[in-house]
Structures are given as C-alpha cells and as structure tokens.
Amino acid sequence: MTPSIVAIGINHTTAPVEIRELFSCKPTREGVIEELSYLSNLPYVEEIVILSTCNRVEIYAVLKEEEKIRDLLREFVTLKIGRWEDKFEKHFFVKTGLAAIEHIFSVPSGLISMVLGESQIVSQFKEAFETARRQKTLGKILDRLYQFALRTAKRVRSETDISKTPVSVSYIAVLLAKKVFGLLENTRVLVVGAGEMAELTATYLKEEKARIFVTNRTFSKAVELARRIGGNVIKWEEFKEFLKEVDIAIFSTAADRYLLTKEEAENIFLKKESPTVLIDISVPRNVDPEVGKISNVFLFNIDNLRQIAEKNLKTRQREAEKGLLIVKEEAKKFIKELDKLLLGDLLKQLKETIDQLMELSLNEDPQRGVELFKNRLLSGIFKTVKENPNLGKELVENLQKIVSDIKSRVQ
C-alpha cells in the first residue's frame, strides 16, 4: 500500500480571523505542539507536520491510505472544538498527491501569503518542520519534501522579482525617504500621532538607525509609543517649532483639519537649508497639499504611497505566475524522487524478508533448510506471477540474465 502525501488547512483565503483563531496550535513553554503529538498517534498517520501562524493553520501528513484524509480533518476539528460541526468543513481546503505537494511548495515561496512574496513565512515554515523533527513526527518522506520545498522557495525568490518590489505602505515611505537622504542613519524623525502605520513606519526607520521623536495631543500616548519604539517625547505644543530640526516627519492623527498649513510650513522650512520629507498617512490629511510646493520639502500622502504599492503588487502578481511554474517543475521532480525513495524502501523490505525466510527455514530443519527456503520463495513468486503474468515474464527474463552471467563467469 503506497503512502499518500496530503495537505489540510485553513488560511486567510478560506476563513476570517475569528474562525482561524479557533484552530491555532501554539507550542507549550517546552516548545511542544500537543496537537501534533495527538494526531501522530492516529493509526493511519505515518508522518505529520503542523504549520500554525496568524494567517494559516495547515497540516501536512503522510497517510497509509489517502481515503483517511477526511478522518484526519474530523479528528483535528473535534480535537480543537470538542466536537465535529459541519459548518467548519467549508473553511478547510483538502489536497492530496501532486496538488498537496504543489501547495506545500508554494507556502515558503510566498505565493499564497496574504502579502504576496513576503519572506517571513520561510522561517515559520522551517520552525514547523523542525518542531515535528524534535517531536519525532517527521519521517523520511516529509523530510525530503521539506528540503525540496526550501529549494523551490529559494529558486522562486532568486529567479523571479516577487520579493523585490515593496507592497507595504510603511516600507515604501522609508524607501522614498532613502531616495532623498541616502543613508538614514542619525536622521531625525518626528512621529505626529500614534496611528498603526505611523508606528510601523517609525519602526522601519529605527531599524535604519534613525533617531525617533514622538508627539501626541495625549502626552501619555506619546510616552507609551516612544517606549515601544525607543524614541524621545516632544510636547504637542512644541512640535511645529521642532519641525525645524527634523529630517522626516510622519503624520498620523484623527484630526479633521490641517495640522500644518502652507503658511506655517513656509515659516518653518524656507530658512532651512537641508531637505525635509513629510509623510502624511492620515485620512483626512493632516498636511496641506500646498506644502509640497515649498522648495526642499518632499510631501507624500497615503494615496501616493498606495499607488506605488498597487503598482508593485501588480508586478508581484506577474512574477508569482513565473513562481508557480517553478513550483510545478519542482513538484514533478519530487514525485520522481519519492518513487526512488519508496522503491528503496521496498527493496530493503524484500531483502530483509528473504533473509528472514532463509533463517526461519534453516532453524526449522538444518538438513532441508535450503530446500524449504527455495520452495517457500517459489510459492510466493508463483502466486504473484499468476496474478500478474507480465510481471512474471519480466522476472523470468531477469533471472535468466543472472544465470547467463554466472555461467559465463564460471566457464
């Protein structure tokens, strides 16, 4: 009976977060995933891996029988929910054989990530397989699949441009600042407000070794944000004056009017010799669009950034099509590799069985052991030949070649 590779899962394309979180599989303090241990002990499961992230929970397994895939799904849902409910089934994908292999290869390649082409999934994918290795639920088939998947991901990222065009609005803002300043080390950045995108942008800038300052109408919020990103606090009533000293300012507040008008900006920036990048990711906008016309001021609003992001996403989508061709190519190679792997196991089992048969025959009757061995071996061969005459012809031809070779050596 040939083992079957299967993939079962729930992800951002099949279910909302309130459903996905029900099936999340988090490791214990010791790094053990208890669901993995439970499922690996099912009688039809030979090998198993669980990948659990904020966007997906997926099970990759080798089953003794492909038909048991629905049983595995039911076991998992019952394990997590406490009972089986039909309403959850529609949120899960179920793949077997080549389709399962192509899916698994696509995951670390970033081809089915929420952010197309993102690279974080590679480390998460590796951790899932290494956890299975530690818990001894990873066998030679999934281990070889793992190696092929990482090789595929490497090819996709090196042979396509899927990861080379940024689609994060926050990261694009950082790249635009780089175009103005080059290196961002020691540039002074003021974060006005405490929006999520502003914090993310500031975090990226911090990674570039920029110096971060934070201001907010609510002083305690400014202190909290500054603590999280490692910055300093500027009082709200002093931030416009402080703009004279910064290189980059990020605006992200809920204000319903311009916080920085053209007249105010002219008083701040016209006497300033160095350039200033203003990133306004607020809706409504916090910075008067006319400010962008001031010499040495570079103003980018949320639409500017999104337009670049959308253009880059289209590029990634085109590159993803190239990536899928690589996945299909590598999946076919793996199928051939799997056939060799399974054949090697079969030949090993055949040799061990013949050795065992010889040993039992000799132990049973040392005088007639060889004859008993021959008769029992022929009995098994005759039965196989009757069921498959073509196989019998090939077997006879191969044995005749062996006899011929022996004769030629003896003579």
Side-chain angles (χ1 to χ4, degrees), residues 224-263:
E224 176 60 25
L225 178 55
R227 184 191 62 78
R228 287 201 302 271
I229 62 178
N232 298 300
V233 178
I234 300 296
K235 292 181 179 179
W236 179 259
E237 56 271 18
E238 296 174 1
F239 91 81
K240 291 181 184 178
E241 184 65 22
F242 189 70
L243 284 172
K244 295 176 182 179
E245 301 179 38
V246 306
D247 303 296
I248 302 166
I250 306 165
F251 289 81
S252 180
T253 80
D256 57 1
R257 58 181 177 80
Y258 294 143
L259 295 180
L260 185 64
T261 64
K262 185 182 180 184
E263 182 180 351

Side-chain angles (χ1 to χ4, degrees), residues 5-21:
I5 296 173
V6 303
I8 297 171
I10 188 169
N11 58 39
H12 62 278
T13 66
T14 67
V17 65
E18 60 266 24
I19 298 295
R20 296 199 305 272
E21 64 189 9

Side-chain angles (χ1 to χ4, degrees), residues 303-346:
D303 283 347
N304 301 142
L305 301 177
R306 280 181 177 157
Q307 284 168 8
I308 297 172
E310 287 169 5
K311 180 182 176 182
N312 288 350
L313 179 58
K314 288 178 182 178
T315 300
R316 285 198 178 197
Q317 288 169 340
R318 287 194 299 270
E319 294 302 306
E321 293 175 8
K322 298 177 187 177
L324 287 172
L325 293 177
I326 294 173
V327 164
K328 289 181 178 297
E329 180 185 331
E330 290 293 334
K332 288 177 181 177
K333 289 180 182 178
F334 176 75
I335 291 292
K336 292 180 180 179
E337 180 77 7
L338 180 61
D339 289 341
K340 290 179 184 177
L341 197 64
L342 295 176
L343 178 60
D345 286 344
L346 179 62

